[in-house]
Amino acid sequence: MAKIIATLTWAAVLVGANKLLSGTDWAQYLVTFILGGAYVLLMNKMSSPSARGTD
């Protein structure tokens, strides 16, 4: 359930950032790249055994 909430939140932030930066293509690409990397790191962190509470 946490991954679904994180994904929906990330998608809303991405859409909002792209709307705010609609006039500058390079900034949209940069923000999308940065947010994509942050999303991957977040999903990896949530998938790790320590995040689930099992050691």
Side-chain angles (χ1 to χ4, degrees):
M1 184 69 163
K3 283 186 181 182
I4 294 170
I5 293 169
T7 299
L8 293 174
T9 302
W10 175 83
V13 169
L14 181 64
V15 168
N18 278 328
K19 285 188 181 218
L20 285 174
L21 300 170
S22 63
T24 54
D25 290 338
W26 65 270
Q28 282 182 316
Y29 292 132
L30 182 64
V31 168
T32 300
F33 180 76
I34 291 169
L35 288 175
Y39 179 74
V40 169
L41 291 174
L42 177 65
M43 288 297 117
N44 284 338
K45 180 88 172 157
M46 292 177 78
S47 296
S48 69
S50 61
R52 291 186 298 228
T54 59
D55 291 337

